Amino acid sequence: MKKYICDVCGYEYDPAVGDPDNGIQPGTPFEDLPADWVCPLCQVGKDEFSPED
């Protein structure tokens, strides 16, 4: 599963870790995050993330 990086603040979403503080279980692919999920650091939406190279 690919990691995704926030274009605004550089936060890395790692599917292996998830975002447990916001109810996202480890193993959740970025594509399966809820539409209303936002970056835990700067609060931008999923459309502001890019796949890690």
Side-chain angles (χ1 to χ4, degrees):
M1 288 183 282
K2 274 193 169 188
K3 295 178 183 178
Y4 280 73
I5 308 295
C6 178
D7 297 329
V8 176
C9 74
Y11 170 81
E12 177 183 83
Y13 177 76
D14 182 349
V17 175
D19 181 15
D21 292 342
N22 293 298
I24 306 300
Q25 296 300 314
T28 303
F30 185 81
E31 296 80 6
D32 291 349
L33 292 173
D36 62 350
W37 182 83
V38 296
C39 176
L41 299 184
C42 70
Q43 308 303 305
V44 298
K46 289 173 61 178
D47 59 333
E48 297 289 333
F49 279 71
S50 299
E52 184 179 61
D53 292 330

